C-alpha cells in the first residue's frame, strides 16, 4: 500500500469506490504536471486517446495499465478501481462511503458454498483480469483454443477450464493487439466464456467484471453476436445481484441490435431466439408474468425454422428443445411448478448434444419437482443429472442447496445419500 498522501486522499478513495481507473490516471498525470499530450508522447498515442482513457471511454486495458504505471498509480489501487482486488480503506474523518467487502471474507463465503478447492484458481483468474497474462506462445490457432475451452465447459471439467482461462485470455489479448475487429470479437468470446463459468459457480462479483470486459470488447469489435453473448452473461449477473430491471434493459438492447441484422442467417436467428429466452427468464425472475410468457412464446416461434441439432461451433446453439427447457425455467421462476413440468414433459436428454445441457435439463426439472414438494422425483432428476455431468450437481450453489435440504429433510428417499456424497465433494478437480 502506498504511503504517499496523494494516493490516500478522499478524492482517490471516491474514484476507487466508483471504479474510475481513468480518474486515477488523470490525478497521477496532474501531480506530475504533465499535459495529456505529454503523457500521450510517452505512451506513443495521441492526446485525444489519453483524454478518452481518462474519461473512461477507451477500452484498451493494456494502455490503461501502461498509463497508470507511467504516472505512478499504485498497482493495488488500479486493481481496486477495476473491481478486482480490495485494499484496506484509508482512515479519513467522517468518511461517508461504505467499506468494501474484505477479500478473505469473500473467499470464506465461496468456501461455504462449496468453492473451497478452486480458490487459488479463482484468484488466478482474478489476477488475469487485473493484468492480462503474458501470451503462452501456443501455436494452436485461437479459434481452436476457444473451442477446446468451450468443450471443457460443455463436459463439466470446470477446474481444467479455470486453469486454462488465464492463458487463453493472454493469447486473445495478444491477438487483439493488432486491432482487428475479428480478434476483438474473439477476445470478447473468451471473456464471455469465463463469465459463463463464473455464473455457474456462483462467483458473481468476479463474473460482473468479466462480463463487463466481454461487453466492452464486443462493442469495439462491432459484432452484434459477440455483444449479444456478452449481454446474456451480464444480464445473468445483474439478475443474481437483484437488478432485474437493469438486466432487462440490457438484454432487450442486445436483442434489438441482433434483430437489426435482418435475421437473414441461422446464426443471427439463433442469437435473436436466445435473447428472447433470456428476456423471458429475466422477466419471470422479476415477476413480470405477461412479458415472460409473451417472450417465451416469441422465442418458440423464432426457432421454428432452426435445426433440431445446432451446428458444431455455433455461438448460440439454441434449438426448439432449448426453448422448451427455458419455458420450464420461466414457469418455475413464476412459481408455477405444474406448468413448468408440463412444459418439459416431452424433453429428452438425447435432444441436447452436450453433457452440460443434458445435466441442465435434469436439474431444471428437479427444481420444478422440488418447488412442487416432491422429494422422490427431485432426487431422481438430480441423480440423472449427476450421472450425465456430476458438475451440474456438485458445482452449482442453488442445486447444492436443494441436495443439502434433501439430506436434512428426506434422508431416506432413494438416491438422497448418493446425492449428498456427490454434493459433499464440493468442487473437485474434473
Amino acid at each position: 500500500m502506498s504511503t504517499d498522501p496523494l494516493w490516500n486522499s478522499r478524492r482517490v478513495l471516491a474514484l476507487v469506490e466508483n471504479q474510475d481507473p481513468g480518474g486515477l490516471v488523470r490525478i497521477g498525470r496532474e501531480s506530475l504536471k504533465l499535459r495529456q499530450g505529454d503523457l500521450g508522447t510517452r505512451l506513443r498515442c495521441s492526446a485525444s486517446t489519453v483524454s478518452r482513457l481518462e474519461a473512461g471511454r477507451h477500452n484498451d486495458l493494456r494502455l490503461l495499465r501502461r498509463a497508470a504505471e507511467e504516472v505512478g498509480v499504485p498497482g493495488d489501487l488500479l486493481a481496486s478501481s477495476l473491481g478486482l482486488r480490495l485494499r484496506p480503506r484509508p482512515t479519513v474523518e467522517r468518511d461517508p462511503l461504505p467499506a468494501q467487502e474484505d477479500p478473505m471474507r469473500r473467499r470464506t463465503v465461496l468456501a461455504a458454498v462449496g468453492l473451497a478447492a478452486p480458490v487459488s484458481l479463482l484468484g488466478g483468474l482474478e489476477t488475469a483480469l487485473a493484468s492480462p497474462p503474458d501470451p503462452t506462445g501456443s501455436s494452436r490457432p485461437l479459434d481452436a483454443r476457444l473451442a477446446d475451452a468451450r468443450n471443457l465447459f460443455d463436459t463439466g471439467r470446470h477446474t481444467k477450464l479455470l486453469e486454462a482461462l488465464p492463458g487463453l485470455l493472454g493469447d486473445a489479448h495478444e491477438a487483439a493487439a493488432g486491432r482487428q475487429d475479428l480478434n476483438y470479437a474473439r477476445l470478447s468470446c473468451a471473456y464471455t466464456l469465463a463469465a459463463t463459468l463464473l455464473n455457474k459457480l456462483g462467483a458473481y462479483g468476479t463474473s460482473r467484471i468479466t462480463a463487463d470486459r466481454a461487453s466492452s470488447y464486443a462493442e469495439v469489435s462491432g459484432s452484434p453476436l459477440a455483444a449479444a453473448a456478452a449481454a446474456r452473461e451480464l444480464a445473468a449477473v445483474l439478475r443474481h445481484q437483484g437488478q432485474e430491471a437493469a438486466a432487462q434493459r440490457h438484454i432487450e438492447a442486445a436483442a434489438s441490435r441482433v434483430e437489426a441484422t435482418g435475421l437473414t442467417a441461422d446464426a443471427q436467428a439463433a442469437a435473436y431466439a436466445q435473447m428472447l429466452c433470456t428476456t423471458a427468464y429475466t422477466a419471470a425472475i422479476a415477476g413480470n408474468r405477461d412479458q415472460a410468457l409473451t417472450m417465451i412464446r416469441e422465442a418458440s416461434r423464432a426457432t421454428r425454422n432452426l435445426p433440431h441439432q445446432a451446428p458444431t461451433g455455433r455461438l448460440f446453439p439454441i434449438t426448439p428443445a432449448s426453448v422448451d427447457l427455458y419455458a420450464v425455467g420461466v414457469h418455475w421462476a413464476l412459481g408455477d411448478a405444474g406448468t413448468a413440468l408440463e412444459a418439459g414433459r416431452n424433453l429428452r436428454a438425447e435432444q441436447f448434444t452436450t453433457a452440460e445441457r443434458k445435466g441442465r435439463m435434469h436439474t431444471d426439472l428437479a427444481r420444478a419437482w422440488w418447488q412442487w414438494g416432491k422429494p422422490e422425483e427431485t432426487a431422481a432428476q438430480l441423480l440423472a443429472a449427476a450421472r450425465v455431468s456430476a458438475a451440474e450437481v456438485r458445482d452449482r450453489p442453488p442445486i447444492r442447496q436443494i441436495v443439502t435440504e434433501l439430506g436434512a429433510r428426506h434422508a431416506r428417499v432413494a438416491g438422497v445419500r448418493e446425492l449428498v456424497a456427490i454434493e459433499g465433494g464440493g468442487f473437485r478437480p474434473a
Side-chain angles (χ1 to χ4, degrees):
M1 182 188 306
S2 173
T3 57
D4 188 335
L6 172 68
W7 301 115
N8 285 285
S9 66
R10 196 182 298 249
R11 180 186 176 197
V12 165
L13 178 60
L15 291 171
V16 171
E17 294 278 356
N18 291 328
Q19 295 192 2
D20 184 359
L24 296 178
V25 171
R26 183 177 62 253
I27 285 179
R29 175 180 61 77
E30 291 173 347
S31 74
L32 297 175
K33 302 188 185 309
L34 295 175
R35 296 171 298 181
Q36 290 178 334
D38 298 329
L39 180 55
T41 298
R42 295 188 183 189
L43 298 174
R44 297 184 180 179
C45 67
S46 66
S48 62
T49 296
V50 173
S51 176
R52 292 197 305 275
L53 187 99
E54 292 182 351
R57 299 195 303 272
H58 196 285
N59 296 310
D60 191 328
L61 301 179
R62 289 193 173 189
L63 182 63
L64 174 64
R65 183 180 60 177
R66 286 172 50 215
E69 291 174 351
E70 191 68 39
V71 300
V73 177
D76 65 326
L77 269 182
L78 178 64
S80 296
S81 71
L82 290 167
L84 303 173
R85 190 182 307 142
L86 305 176
R87 74 197 297 263
R89 294 161 54 84
T91 302
V92 293
E93 285 190 299
R94 295 190 301 276
D95 194 330
L97 296 173
Q100 290 181 299
E101 184 181 20
D102 181 82
M104 289 306 297
R105 178 181 180 279
R106 177 163 54 102
R107 294 192 175 193
T108 301
V109 171
L110 290 175
V113 297
L115 294 177
V119 160
S120 61
L121 294 177
L122 285 170
L125 184 53
E126 288 178 346
T127 299
L129 292 170
S131 177
D134 292 333
T136 65
S138 172
S139 60
R140 190 161 169 76
L142 190 57
D143 283 340
R145 300 271 310 284
L146 282 166
D148 291 343
R150 183 72 204 189
N151 184 59
L152 291 175
F153 177 83
D154 288 339
T155 53
R157 289 177 285 175
H158 297 159
T159 299
K160 290 189 179 300
L161 179 53
L162 278 173
E163 291 171 344
L165 278 169
L168 178 63
L169 290 171
D171 290 343
H173 271 284
E174 181 186 42
R179 301 183 182 275
Q180 294 180 345
D181 290 347
L182 181 57
N183 284 330
Y184 278 125
R186 289 174 173 134
L187 178 57
S188 174
C189 288
Y191 275 111
T192 295
L193 179 58
T196 304
L197 175 62
L198 292 166
N199 280 336
K200 186 176 285 287
L201 300 180
Y204 300 118
T206 307
S207 180
R208 172 68 181 267
I209 300 158
T210 311
D212 278 337
R213 298 283 171 77
S215 294
S216 295
Y217 286 115
E219 291 294 335
V220 172
S221 77
S223 167
L225 299 190
R232 178 190 178 193
E233 298 311 320
L234 185 53
V237 178
L238 293 170
R239 283 199 310 266
H240 284 288
Q241 293 181 334
Q243 300 180 58
E244 291 88 356
Q248 195 76 348
R249 289 194 300 271
H250 198 71
I251 203 67
E252 286 174 358
S256 295
R257 289 195 293 271
V258 173
E259 189 176 20
T261 64
L263 309 181
T264 55
D266 276 0
Q268 296 166 344
Y272 183 61
Q274 178 64 72
M275 296 300 98
L276 294 175
C277 287
T278 305
T279 300
Y281 188 69
T282 303
I285 292 292
N288 190 336
R289 175 176 292 271
D290 289 343
Q291 185 179 21
L293 297 180
T294 298
M295 289 297 102
I296 200 65
R297 285 194 296 267
E298 288 295 321
S300 183
R301 280 193 282 270
T303 55
R304 252 178 218 158
N305 296 322
L306 292 178
H308 286 267
Q309 294 290 341
T312 302
R314 176 161 288 174
L315 189 57
F316 296 98
I318 197 162
T319 64
S322 303
V323 177
D324 289 343
L325 183 54
Y326 263 96
V328 173
V330 165
H331 291 294
W332 169 82
L334 291 172
D336 194 345
T339 307
L341 292 167
E342 177 64 20
R345 67 187 175 88
N346 292 322
L347 289 175
R348 301 290 182 271
E350 55 267 23
Q351 294 172 298
F352 302 94
T353 58
T354 68
E356 188 271 341
R357 284 292 94 183
K358 293 175 193 286
R360 186 60 181 254
M361 183 201 77
H362 289 300
T363 57
D364 279 8
L365 291 171
R367 290 193 307 178
W369 283 116
W370 185 242
Q371 188 180 69
W372 207 9
K374 302 289 186 179
E376 293 84 1
E377 291 84 351
T378 302
Q381 287 292 340
L382 290 179
L383 272 177
R387 286 164 184 159
V388 172
S389 175
E392 285 302 302
V393 173
R394 192 184 63 213
D395 296 346
R396 292 173 57 199
I399 303 304
R400 288 169 58 81
Q401 181 60 36
I402 292 176
V403 174
T404 298
E405 292 177 14
L406 276 171
R409 294 157 51 187
H410 304 283
R412 295 189 178 184
V413 166
V416 168
R417 289 186 180 180
E418 184 179 346
L419 286 168
V420 169
I422 294 169
E423 183 266 347
F427 181 92
R428 296 177 300 194

